[in-house]
Amino acid sequence: MISTWFIPLIILLILVTATIKHVPVYEKFVEGGKEGISMAISLLPFLVGMMVAIAIFRSSGAMEAMLTWVSPLAERLGFPEEVLPLAVVRPISGTAALSVTTELIKTFGPDSLIGRMASTMQGSTDTTLYILTVYFGAVGIKRMGNALKVGLLADLVGIVASIVVVLFLFA
Amino acid sequence: MINVIWAMLAVIGIVYAGINGTMAEVNRAIFQTIDDSVMITLSLMGVLIFWLGLMKVAEEAGLLRALAKAFRPIVTRLFPDIPRDDPAMGYILSNMTANMLGLGNAATPMGIKAMKEMKRLSGSDEASRSMITFLALNTSSLTLIPTTVIAIRMKFDSAAPTEIISSTLIATAISTMAAILIDRYFYYQRRKKERHI
């Protein structure tokens, strides 16, 4: 309930402070907002390219096939097999991850160990590929350096941490 | 690396569709996704215009500088390349604040603006050190209260929908710390390589 107050209060704070300091608020709003147009346009090729590649991978069934491939290996490492699809999908596609999370919670129940692991995983990491695409794309940077490697490795730590923390807190 | 991953996603998908007999689905997905990505960009454009406009007002009012000043000891350590009074700091902090409060749709425009300020500082088309650190923080997620997940749990009648806040917080803290350390590690590796040349 408090969260519905956040955004209006931030807007209020900014506008009141600016008005007191004699900032021409409307003119500055329009001036700053203009930048959003070019950023969004610059983003388009990056987003179209990335989303189409992911869509091909998903719709062909290759993503599911990859999961059945990886799962015996994961099982041997002591990784709970049920949450593996989420772990693999989480950094690649936000919508796919959300549907996998929902599915897991629905099947195993929100208060099961698997349900808690899925919830924690979903909440504690973000869609790395999407973030890199959008943030680099909007400012026109093509060479990402080590950003992808760093992001994916941090995701891996986050996923393993989710499992261990849930086992530790709830098992 | 991104070139290889991008091509692999599409190539593996198409070859697999050939074997699996799902070429029709692939065709449909391609054109559906082209439409979807334009729609996403358009709705993002509205959000970008709104928040960038508002943040410009906040910047002129000195609010971003005040925010940067309050967190100076932490952020100057995380981003040693950015001058301490630079507007980039203010945008980085507003992005992190919005992320922590779970305001995803305000966080993205502020993050993109922060990237633009960092690009101005580096003056290059290549990802700079600060950009990589900044994105490492963003991809590891900074969310304190995972509202979407709580909503899903409520929908499926969880006895304690919010109990995962504690586990999420711990996991987020671990992954964020890992992101910072991994980022540092790669940065020093890069420096070592440069020195040898």
Side-chain angles (χ1 to χ4, degrees):
Chain A
M1 296 317 109
I2 299 170
S3 59
T4 54
W5 281 72
F6 276 147
I7 290 181
L9 280 178
I10 293 169
I11 299 172
L12 189 78
L13 171 77
I14 293 174
L15 292 184
V16 169
T17 322
T19 309
I20 292 171
K21 294 198 172 168
H22 301 291
V23 174
V25 282
Y26 181 64
E27 288 164 36
K28 287 293 167 193
F29 175 84
V30 176
E31 185 191 316
K34 228 183 239 170
E35 234 183 316
I37 304 172
S38 58
M39 283 179 178
I41 299 288
S42 142
L43 173 63
L44 262 173
F46 292 86
L47 206 62
V48 171
M50 194 52 81
M51 284 185 64
V52 168
I54 293 169
I56 293 174
F57 191 65
R58 255 185 93 184
S59 63
S60 68
M63 195 186 262
E64 270 170 60
M66 184 174 86
L67 291 174
T68 52
W69 246 54
V70 186
S71 70
L73 183 81
E75 216 176 341
R76 204 173 302 163
L77 294 171
F79 198 101
E81 193 186 356
E82 298 85 349
V83 289
L84 184 73
L86 181 59
V88 175
V89 160
R90 190 72 189 94
I92 305 172
S93 163
T95 44
L98 199 59
S99 68
V100 174
T101 302
T102 312
E103 203 51 48
L104 285 173
I105 291 178
K106 194 171 138 193
T107 318
F108 294 93
D111 302 320
S112 65
L113 215 49
I114 298 295
R116 284 163 171 158
M117 279 177 190
S119 307
T120 306
M121 238 179 240
Q122 175 72 30
S124 67
T125 53
D126 216 321
T127 320
T128 297
L129 209 54
Y130 177 77
I131 290 185
L132 294 189
T133 307
V134 168
Y135 281 28
F136 280 132
V139 296
I141 282 180
K142 289 181 210 129
R143 295 174 67 187
M144 296 187 179
N146 286 324
L148 186 60
K149 228 183 289 173
V150 175
L152 290 178
L153 284 172
D155 284 340
L156 184 65
V157 175
I159 283 160
V160 173
S162 300
I163 295 170
V164 174
V165 169
V166 168
L167 285 175
F168 187 75
L169 284 181
F170 300 110
Chain B
M1 189 180 181
I2 191 72
N3 290 310
V4 177
I5 290 185
W6 187 68
M8 287 294 262
L9 283 171
V11 170
I12 293 175
I14 291 168
V15 171
Y16 189 82
I19 302 165
N20 201 25
T22 43
M23 209 55 97
E25 280 88 336
V26 169
N27 260 304
R28 205 176 315 124
I30 292 174
F31 293 102
Q32 179 63 45
T33 310
I34 293 174
D35 277 358
D36 287 351
S37 43
V38 174
M39 289 313 291
I40 290 178
T41 313
L42 274 182
S43 69
L44 192 62
M45 190 193 274
V47 177
L48 273 168
I49 292 173
F50 178 74
W51 283 103
L52 292 181
L54 205 61
M55 292 312 281
K56 183 79 192 171
V57 177
E59 191 188 332
E60 296 282 331
L63 283 168
L64 289 188
R65 215 171 311 129
L67 188 65
K69 210 170 183 176
F71 291 95
R72 188 171 282 162
I74 308 167
V75 282
T76 45
R77 273 195 195 98
L78 276 175
F79 300 97
D81 285 6
I82 300 176
R84 39 197 300 190
D85 281 321
D86 199 272
M89 282 294 194
Y91 282 106
I92 288 174
L93 279 162
S94 357
N95 163 272
M96 287 161 94
T97 315
N99 263 325
M100 283 180 194
L101 298 177
L103 309 174
N105 104 2
T108 310
M110 293 165 185
I112 291 175
K113 178 70 180 171
M115 292 289 284
K116 198 163 185 197
E117 297 293 321
M118 287 186 260
K119 193 183 179 189
R120 174 180 54 78
L121 287 172
S122 77
S124 142
D125 274 349
E126 224 172 304
S128 70
R129 178 190 179 186
S130 335
M131 287 177 186
I132 297 174
T133 309
F134 179 63
L135 289 183
L137 289 174
N138 261 284
T139 56
S140 74
S141 168
L142 300 159
T143 311
L144 299 182
I145 302 187
T147 43
T148 319
V149 175
I150 294 173
I152 298 173
R153 293 173 61 81
M154 284 166 101
K155 199 176 133 201
F156 292 104
D157 303 317
S158 169
T162 54
E163 67 170 9
I164 46 97
I165 291 179
S166 57
S167 56
T168 306
L169 271 178
I170 301 172
T172 299
I174 295 173
S175 74
T176 303
M177 265 183 300
I180 295 169
L181 292 176
I182 296 167
D183 170 55
R184 281 284 146 112
Y185 172 77
F186 279 114
Y187 170 71
Y188 288 118
Q189 290 285 311
R190 275 198 308 271
R191 283 244 322 239
K192 228 194 264 166
K193 223 185 276 169
E194 274 158 24
R195 239 180 278 143
H196 283 299
I197 302 166

